[in-house]
Amino acid sequence: MQGTLINNLYKYIKENNPDILLELEETGNTTQYLSDKVSTVDSLIEQLSKEGKPSYIIEEICMAHLTEDLKPSRYNYVLHLLESEFEQQYNQFIETGLLLFEISNMVKHCNPVFDDLNFSEENENNRFLGYAIMGVIKEYLDNVTSENVNSELQQSTETER
């Protein structure tokens, strides 16, 4: 059961929270994180098994518990805003293969706003929240653009020498 839950949790995080997975992989803590998280439902598995629940029901209940703190996905929220409100930059990140990394960086940049506004399933459709996150995304994109321009200017100056 634990192996199945670890695999399902990994798939869930890969699909909905790839920024977290990227960070775990960078630090080499993916396996430990998944094992530790799944071990938090050991007593739940035992209780449900004693109650005679079928394994697919146990898995479903455990997955709901394991993913509770991963919802809603900040990554997917930023991704959808970028795609709908900043289409040119979104397409550029896809073309360069940097979408995952840039969205992950944006989420880190947006985390204080998500935290301040208590981002949750109850308020994820709040217009004010969307505007606040769009503002942070715009600020991030402006910084990335100015860094790229400065880098290109520096490279062209070095080439002219």
Side-chain angles (χ1 to χ4, degrees):
M1 175 71 67
Q2 279 79 2
T4 301
L5 289 173
I6 286 173
N7 286 336
N8 290 344
L9 181 59
Y10 177 82
K11 289 176 189 172
Y12 179 88
I13 293 172
K14 186 176 182 181
E15 186 174 314
N16 296 287
N17 306 91
D19 54 318
I20 293 172
L21 189 58
L22 185 63
E23 195 172 308
L24 288 168
E25 289 174 348
E26 284 176 2
T27 60
N29 292 328
T30 308
T31 304
Q32 187 67 47
Y33 172 84
L34 293 170
S35 297
D36 289 350
K37 194 149 176 77
V38 168
S39 71
T40 65
V41 295
D42 285 345
S43 60
L44 181 59
I45 294 170
E46 189 177 321
Q47 175 193 340
L48 294 171
S49 294
K50 284 180 183 175
E51 292 174 9
K53 302 280 188 212
S55 59
Y56 74 93
I57 296 290
I58 295 172
E59 286 176 27
E60 188 176 315
I61 292 169
C62 288
M63 282 303 295
H65 180 75
L66 291 170
T67 59
E68 192 172 40
D69 64 331
L70 299 171
K71 296 176 184 175
S73 167
R74 293 178 179 196
Y75 181 92
N76 286 337
Y77 189 85
V78 170
L79 174 67
H80 293 304
L81 280 178
L82 184 70
E83 184 179 17
S84 63
E85 302 297 327
F86 304 93
E87 189 176 351
Q88 181 180 355
Q89 290 88 344
Y90 172 81
N91 289 331
Q92 187 178 2
F93 291 145
I94 287 178
E95 288 172 15
T96 59
L98 296 174
L99 185 65
L100 170 63
F101 301 104
E102 291 297 346
I103 299 283
S104 296
N105 288 335
M106 285 180 214
V107 169
K108 286 178 190 171
H109 202 72
C110 292
N111 274 335
V113 175
F114 279 126
D115 292 341
D116 288 347
L117 298 176
N118 299 316
F119 182 61
S120 66
E121 289 179 306
E122 289 79 36
N123 71 359
E124 70 180 310
N125 294 321
N126 180 296
R127 192 180 321 179
F128 174 73
L129 173 69
Y131 291 145
I133 296 298
M134 277 189 272
V136 178
I137 292 171
K138 178 160 180 17
E139 178 183 288
Y140 175 87
L141 292 171
D142 289 346
N143 287 339
V144 168
T145 303
S146 68
E147 287 173 12
N148 288 344
V149 169
N150 288 339
S151 175
E152 289 172 8
L153 287 174
Q154 186 177 9
Q155 287 175 354
S156 67
T157 305
E158 289 171 0
T159 308
E160 290 174 4
R161 293 182 194 172

